[in-house]
Every structure is written in structure tokens, then in C-alpha cells.
Amino acid sequence: MIALDPTVWGLLVVGAFVGAAFQGMVGFGLAFTVVPLLAVVEPLAIPTVPLLLTLPMVVGNMIADLAHIDLRGSGLIVAGRVPGTLIGAGLLLIVRPEVLGIVVACALLASVLIGVREAPALTDRNRLAAGLASGIMGTAAGLGGPPVSMVYRGQPAAVFRATVSTALLAGIALSMAAVVVLDRGSQQHVLLSLALVPAAVLGLAVSRKWGRNVSGRRLQQFVLGLGGVAALATITQAVVNL
């Protein structure tokens, strides 16, 4: 596995735990805590580590609420994600690792702006657009969740979880296929993902147990604020390192 400073390793473990807890309660947050750290200490681990780290949570939510899935909506999102994945793969191909932090920061800022907007009408066009944005952001920066979450935010919780999780599962498969074709990932990045999974699963379990006692709206605002701070810190660090 990648040799990391113990402090960095500890920060990644805490980030995986806290981010997964946020994601379990408000639908996003894992990438806000893990991706900025990776952008600074191991840029080439993006998008492999955040994609694989999200996988168990996506599968868990999909299985738990599978009966409530909007199959048509999920299919449209995946259809939009295909060209988005190709665009995201193109960005990975042309962007130098030392500049990736700026791309990640822009994706983080886009995620925050998506989060503060009102949920759009649930039209076919918006589903396709969400899939396109998810493909670009997910493949280039491991941040594919916010666009899909936004378009289904106003739906019942079970429909939201099942549909978004199913679309993201397919999206992760597409993005990882792009990573393999581009030879962007490595065995070390996979091992790092596996090492962080227990912390993420524990965070998700905590969110399921105590999440009902937390104000969803206030927590959502807090997580979005955290994402904004992370984006500014990431872009500052990236500019310093140029």
C-alpha cells in the first residue's frame, strides 16, 4: 500500500468516517472530506479511491430500497453519464497531476453550488443533464454524487436512495472502466481504498443509528460549508505547488 505519513493516514481515516456519516444522513459528504486530502497528498489516487470507497455505501442503499427504484429515471441518468464519463476521461488524460488539485477544487465548488440550489423539475432533460455532469465530475474528480442527488432531492427518501444509488453504481463502473483504460489506477490505490472502507462503513452505521436526531437541513448547510472551505483550501494548495 502507499506509504503515507501517520498524520495523513489518520486524517484520511477520520475523513472517511466523518464523510460517510454525513453521506448517510444528508446524501453527500464523503468526497468533501476525502477528495481534498487526496488532491494534496496523492493526486493520482483520484478518482480510484473515492469511487471505490463510495461503492459499499451505494450498494447498501440500493439493496435496502430496491423496491422503490425509478428505473426510467435511473436509466436516463446512466445514459447521460456515458458521454460525461468520456469527457471526464479526457480531462484525466490531458490534466497534469500537479494541476489536478485545481480541477478537484472546481468540482468541489460546483458540488457546493449544486447543493444550495433548489431541486429542479424531475424531467427527462434534467435527468440526462445530471448524468452528464455526474460522469464528468465523477471520472475527473471522484465527485459524481451531487448532480444526481440534486435532481432527486425532492422525491421520497426511499425513491431517492434507490434511484440515486443504482445510477451511481452504474456510473462508478463506467468511471472505473475509464480509469483502467487510461491506466490511471494502481494496485496500491485499490489497497488504500480497501483500508479505508472499515472507517466508511462505521461512519455509515453511526449515521443510521443517530442520524434521525440531527436536523437534516442544518447538517446539510454545514456539510456544504465544509465543502466550500475544502475547495478553497485545495485550490490554494494547488496554486502554491505549481
Side-chain angles (χ1 to χ4, degrees):
M1 192 170 65
I2 298 170
L4 294 174
D5 181 272
T7 302
V8 173
W9 172 247
L11 287 172
L12 283 172
V13 170
V14 172
F17 171 79
V18 173
F22 287 156
Q23 185 142 343
M25 287 184 272
V26 299
F28 56 89
L30 181 62
F32 285 0
T33 56
V34 173
V35 171
L37 283 170
L38 290 174
V40 174
V41 301
E42 185 62 25
L44 290 178
I46 299 171
T48 302
V49 171
L51 287 174
L52 293 181
L53 197 53
T54 305
L55 192 56
M57 290 185 290
V58 166
V59 172
N61 283 336
M62 185 187 71
I63 292 173
D65 296 295
L66 192 58
H68 302 278
I69 184 174
D70 175 6
L71 280 173
R72 173 179 169 78
S74 182
L76 287 167
I77 291 169
V78 174
R81 180 129 186 178
V82 172
T85 299
L86 295 175
I87 297 171
L91 288 173
L92 282 180
L93 192 60
I94 64 175
V95 173
R96 293 176 290 126
E98 57 268 28
V99 184
L100 184 61
I102 296 176
V103 175
V104 169
C106 291
L108 280 167
L109 286 174
S111 298
V112 172
L113 293 175
I114 287 170
V116 299
R117 288 190 58 188
E118 294 295 326
L122 197 59
T123 63
D124 290 353
R125 178 181 296 178
N126 285 338
R127 290 183 178 102
L128 286 167
L132 178 68
S134 178
I136 297 171
M137 294 168 61
T139 307
L143 289 160
V148 182
S149 298
M150 179 187 70
V151 79
Y152 270 86
R153 190 184 302 153
Q155 303 307 302
V159 175
F160 173 93
R161 287 191 297 266
T163 307
V164 170
S165 296
T166 303
L168 288 179
L169 179 60
I172 289 171
L174 289 169
S175 294
M176 285 305 302
V179 167
V180 171
V181 169
L182 296 176
D183 195 23
R184 181 64 181 240
S186 71
Q187 183 180 8
Q188 290 183 325
H189 296 150
V190 174
L191 292 174
L192 177 58
S193 306
L194 292 175
L196 292 173
V197 163
V201 171
L202 182 60
L204 186 62
V206 168
S207 75
R208 294 284 173 85
K209 186 173 180 63
W210 288 294
R212 297 176 185 175
N213 300 323
V214 179
S215 169
R217 181 60 181 168
R218 288 186 178 180
L219 183 59
Q220 184 182 66
Q221 291 171 343
F222 174 78
V223 176
L224 289 171
L226 176 66
V229 171
L232 293 175
T234 303
I235 197 168
T236 300
Q237 185 65 41
V239 170
V240 168
N241 290 338
L242 286 178

